[in-house]
Amino acid sequence: MKVQDHQLQVPGLRMTKQRKEVYRALLENQDHPSASELHSYMQTTDSPMSLATVYNCLEAFVEHGAVKQVNIDREPTRYCENSVQHGHFHDQKTGKIHDVNFKNGMNVSDLLDLPLGTEISNIEITLKGSISN
Amino acid sequence: MKVQDHQLQVPGLRMTKQRKEVYRALLENQDHPSASELHSYMQTTDSPMSLATVYNCLEAFVEHGAVKQVNIDREPTRYCENSVQHGHFHDQKTGKIHDVNFKNGMNVSDLLDLPLGTEISNIEITLKGSISN
DNA sequence: AATTAGTTTAGAATTATTCTAAAAAAGACT
DNA sequence: AGTCTTTTTTAGAATAATTCTAAACTAATT
């Protein structure tokens, strides 16, 4: 999947060459990469960059809400593009991570007994298991 | 809260002195401690033990389903007793972690569009935010 | 062009966790 | 109790993801 240059925008964030290319990599290969996987990948493009920069870019994206971190146990943090609210399913057989969307109109507060006055700024839902068939 | 010795059991797991005391610490101080917090605490009891042992005990409990890990970003993993299915709310003002129970009769599959045939073995729900009032 | 502020970089530092191999404890069996 | 076997505990070393540092670079601004 190709992403046009003008789509590589994160509101409120100056898009440097490196940020653009990291963001492109995330949009084009929707694969929940870790920082170091992303770094290896960047080395194969014509924007090789340091690992620290990959971390810097990702941090900036996360701060601006454009990217979401996926933490599974103590494994390296994985990153994914975050336009739609979603959770993750970690298939233990294949190791693959699948996005799982919220059911239409559903909300965490429908599932959980939240204390009164709770204001949620971030939701992380990670399921582990397998797909039988 | 005091826990009787005979309650310090995890089905299928040999309860050594150290495992008993770590388990007791988790039951008596329901505080989502990290391994090293737990270790510091153990040093104040009459069962001081090594950090490696704390990790070993916790790993055994998690494997046997008696204890749940709570991962918040890249912070040290926290541990909590796991008799009832629940999620966690991380109050960003106070840094405290609160348990949040599932609403009666509700289930993750009510919230999320899971692929057909999905078998869930572990659910981790972590919310971040604040409580306004 | 000079100045300023923000970004990238290589490499060092940090730190939670895991590993290692030896000592200790627990359990089983006479 | 004494021996054998298996499991657990331990201190310390090793690992690895991430963050930090300070210098070099880039971009925006006067």
Side-chain angles (χ1 to χ4, degrees):
Chain A
M1 195 234 313
K2 273 269 169 214
V3 175
Q4 301 306 111
D5 234 69
H6 70 272
Q7 294 181 277
L8 297 171
Q9 292 298 330
V10 171
L13 189 61
R14 180 206 283 177
M15 292 307 271
T16 60
K17 183 164 175 296
Q18 289 85 346
R19 286 181 181 160
K20 270 198 178 147
E21 294 311 320
V22 171
Y23 196 43
R24 184 197 302 283
L26 275 175
L27 293 178
E28 292 191 348
N29 325 308
Q30 275 156 319
D31 210 24
H32 305 89
S34 65
S36 87
E37 284 168 356
L38 212 35
H39 176 240
S40 304
Y41 171 74
M42 297 318 293
Q43 302 319 100
T44 72
T45 71
D46 44 7
S47 301
M49 65 185 69
S50 78
L51 179 57
T53 300
V54 174
Y55 272 105
N56 288 345
C57 292
L58 291 170
E59 186 188 34
F61 298 154
V62 169
E63 265 172 13
H64 286 74
V67 161
K68 196 164 193 157
Q69 295 180 316
V70 187
N71 292 301
I72 293 180
D73 300 333
R74 282 267 118 199
E75 287 171 26
T77 299
R78 306 189 155 275
Y79 298 85
C80 65
E81 187 259 334
N82 182 39
S83 39
V84 190
Q85 174 166 267
H86 65 278
H88 293 101
F89 173 73
H90 178 223
D91 187 326
Q92 290 178 297
K93 274 193 210 126
T94 66
K96 270 221 162 41
I97 296 170
H98 303 272
D99 288 352
V100 287
N101 288 316
F102 279 49
K103 282 195 169 170
N104 231 311
M106 289 298 271
N107 201 296
V108 256
S109 60
D110 296 319
L111 179 70
L112 299 174
D113 255 330
L114 298 179
L116 210 66
T118 308
E119 262 159 44
I120 305 290
S121 65
N122 188 269
I123 300 174
E124 204 169 328
I125 300 185
T126 313
L127 310 177
K128 235 185 294 191
S130 55
I131 302 184
S132 72
N133 53 39
Chain B
M1 192 234 315
K2 271 272 171 212
V3 175
Q4 302 306 110
D5 233 70
H6 70 272
Q7 294 181 277
L8 298 170
Q9 293 298 329
V10 172
L13 189 62
R14 180 204 281 176
M15 292 308 271
T16 61
K17 184 164 174 295
Q18 289 86 344
R19 286 181 180 161
K20 270 197 177 146
E21 295 312 318
V22 172
Y23 197 44
R24 183 196 305 283
L26 275 174
L27 293 178
E28 291 189 349
N29 324 309
Q30 276 157 318
D31 210 22
H32 306 88
S34 65
S36 87
E37 283 168 357
L38 211 35
H39 177 240
S40 304
Y41 171 74
M42 297 317 295
Q43 304 317 100
T44 71
T45 70
D46 45 9
S47 300
M49 66 185 70
S50 77
L51 178 58
T53 299
V54 174
Y55 272 106
N56 288 344
C57 292
L58 291 170
E59 185 188 35
F61 297 154
V62 170
E63 265 173 14
H64 286 74
V67 161
K68 195 164 193 157
Q69 296 180 316
V70 187
N71 292 301
I72 292 181
D73 299 332
R74 283 268 120 197
E75 288 171 26
T77 299
R78 307 190 154 274
Y79 297 85
C80 66
E81 189 259 333
N82 181 39
S83 39
V84 190
Q85 173 166 268
H86 65 279
H88 293 100
F89 174 73
H90 178 223
D91 188 328
Q92 290 178 296
K93 273 196 209 122
T94 66
K96 270 220 162 39
I97 295 169
H98 303 271
D99 288 352
V100 287
N101 289 318
F102 279 49
K103 283 197 168 167
N104 232 311
M106 288 298 269
N107 200 297
V108 255
S109 60
D110 295 320
L111 179 69
L112 299 175
D113 255 329
L114 298 179
L116 209 66
T118 309
E119 263 158 42
I120 305 291
S121 65
N122 190 269
I123 301 174
E124 205 169 327
I125 301 185
T126 313
L127 311 176
K128 238 185 289 192
S130 56
I131 302 184
S132 72
N133 55 40

